Amino acid sequence: LVVHDGPGKEHFERTLKVFQDDHRFEFLETESREKVFGHSCRRRGFSSLLSRRSPPTLLCTTNADNYAVPTFLEALAHAALGTKSGWAICDMVHSHKQWRPMKTVVERGRIDAACWMARAPLVERAGPWCNDFAADWHFLERLNRLAGPPAKVDHTLVVHN
């Protein structure tokens, strides 16, 4: 599911045309540009997915300008499903750290929204994403409080821009 902070601009419209016949992709957009670091899009996406008759098993987040290695989804899914806590994190390269590799841990400033995956019921229990700059941290802190420490994939699987 792709949720765009809309309404659609020309580049988003072109993306829609490329993927319009691919059943693996679904697109939503907000009614107006909200400009809150994508957090409103995350709330809308989670709400849409979790309210379905057959919700997904796992959820994660990213932004349009992040780069994930080809095994990102597979590695995090395997780790999240294989741990009692039901969630997993991986290492990353982060633009806020001047493009340096970041060994992630569940501490403020040491983790970001692009490097996690969790079982959908846990995401639902963690509650909605707020709109402030540190919303990623607040959400991941709640996941950690609810479920305990995540499984750790000790590989850099994503670059966050």
Side-chain angles (χ1 to χ4, degrees):
L1 174 63
V2 175
V3 184
H4 180 259
D5 190 12
K9 295 203 176 198
E10 185 179 317
H11 68 277
F12 185 64
E13 296 297 328
R14 284 194 307 259
T15 302
L16 287 174
K17 287 179 185 171
V18 170
F19 293 102
Q20 69 185 0
D21 295 325
D22 191 329
H23 70 279
R24 297 173 300 171
F25 294 90
E26 182 179 341
F27 296 89
L28 299 174
E29 70 180 355
T30 57
E31 293 171 9
S32 62
R33 294 274 296 156
E34 297 181 17
K35 300 179 184 177
V36 287
F37 313 105
H39 303 321
S40 60
C41 295
R42 292 180 181 98
R43 273 194 310 278
R44 184 166 178 182
F46 287 159
S47 177
S48 173
L49 292 168
L50 292 168
S51 67
R52 295 177 182 191
R53 194 175 329 163
S54 297
T57 302
L58 296 163
L59 292 169
C60 64
T61 57
T62 192
N63 294 327
D65 59 350
N66 293 343
Y67 304 98
V69 303
T71 58
F72 172 81
L73 294 174
E74 178 184 358
L76 282 177
H78 180 75
L81 292 172
T83 186
K84 184 178 176 183
S85 69
W87 75 299
I89 62 175
C90 66
D91 291 330
M92 65 191 313
V93 171
H94 202 293
S95 59
H96 293 182
K97 305 293 183 185
Q98 297 184 342
W99 307 105
R100 291 190 198 118
M102 186 167 87
K103 291 285 185 188
T104 58
V105 293
V106 185
E107 293 177 11
R108 190 171 183 154
R110 306 267 320 267
I111 194 165
D112 197 273
C115 69
W116 69 278
M117 183 178 288
R119 290 181 181 270
L122 177 60
V123 172
E124 188 170 30
R125 284 182 25 231
W129 216 281
C130 64
N131 280 344
D132 67 50
F133 183 76
D136 300 350
W137 162 244
H138 298 306
F139 180 78
L140 295 169
E141 179 185 38
R142 285 194 308 274
L143 280 179
N144 195 56
R145 259 195 335 263
L146 287 167
K152 176 69 184 281
V153 177
D154 279 319
H155 299 292
T156 300
L157 300 179
V158 65
V159 176
H160 184 285
N161 280 314

